[in-house]
Amino acid sequence: MSTIAADYEKTDIGTIQIAPEVIAVIAGLATIEVEGVAGMSGGFAGGIAELLGRKNLSKGVKVEVGQREAAIDVSIIVEYGNKIPEIAVQIQHNVKRSIEMMTGLTVVEVNVHIHDVHFKTAEKPEEEETNTVRVK
């Protein structure tokens, strides 16, 4: 992720800058809003996935920011049973809309990387306790 804040707008009294970390948080929040996203993935190198925790809102998000444009990469974990292409398209639209609305930057790319599938654990019904003695 780029660490240099992009010059967003020069005004008569100064410059407005938006840090890439801010854009990454916006993209992360927009991603986890999409139904079917189980969580964010730490990326290719990390390999450790964390399910929908809000500790690090930019986890699994890589941002490149220029003067007027931004490119975003998000790494996600999908919930089993959902259509991955549909989820990816929804993420692309949601991230693009959110960043453009909040920052005024033009989003030129939103790349979605699926790193894992999360299976819901089946809840076992508690076995009824029986008072029958097997051996007499």
Side-chain angles (χ1 to χ4, degrees):
M1 177 167 40
S2 174
T3 57
I4 300 172
D7 287 341
Y8 170 63
E9 185 176 327
K10 294 184 182 196
T11 66
D12 293 340
I13 57 173
T15 303
I16 299 169
Q17 295 181 326
I18 301 173
E21 293 81 11
V22 172
I23 296 166
V25 168
I26 294 168
L29 286 170
T31 299
I32 63 173
E33 287 176 353
V34 175
E35 190 172 332
V37 175
M40 303 296 289
S41 177
F44 297 109
I48 299 173
E50 185 176 311
L51 295 179
L52 274 184
R54 296 193 178 228
K55 296 175 192 168
N56 183 358
L57 296 173
S58 62
K59 179 180 177 111
V61 180
K62 181 182 172 200
V63 175
E64 292 180 36
V65 184
Q67 294 294 317
R68 296 278 178 203
E69 298 177 336
I72 317 296
D73 287 276
V74 295
S75 300
I76 66 161
I77 302 164
V78 296
E79 293 176 353
Y80 179 78
N82 290 286
K83 294 181 181 178
I84 293 173
E86 289 178 9
I87 292 171
V89 168
Q90 288 176 6
I91 289 170
Q92 289 174 322
H93 291 298
N94 207 28
V95 168
K96 180 177 173 62
R97 182 181 59 247
S98 295
I99 291 173
E100 288 181 348
M101 181 184 68
M102 292 183 72
T103 67
L105 293 170
T106 301
V107 176
V108 293
E109 281 185 5
V110 178
N111 300 308
V112 180
H113 307 278
I114 291 61
H115 282 251
D116 202 357
V117 176
H118 179 257
F119 298 94
K120 294 181 181 177
T121 55
E123 295 182 21
K124 295 181 182 177
E126 292 185 29
E127 295 181 18
E128 294 179 20
E129 292 192 30
T130 58
N131 291 332
T132 58
V133 178
R134 290 181 50 189
V135 180
K136 291 185 179 182

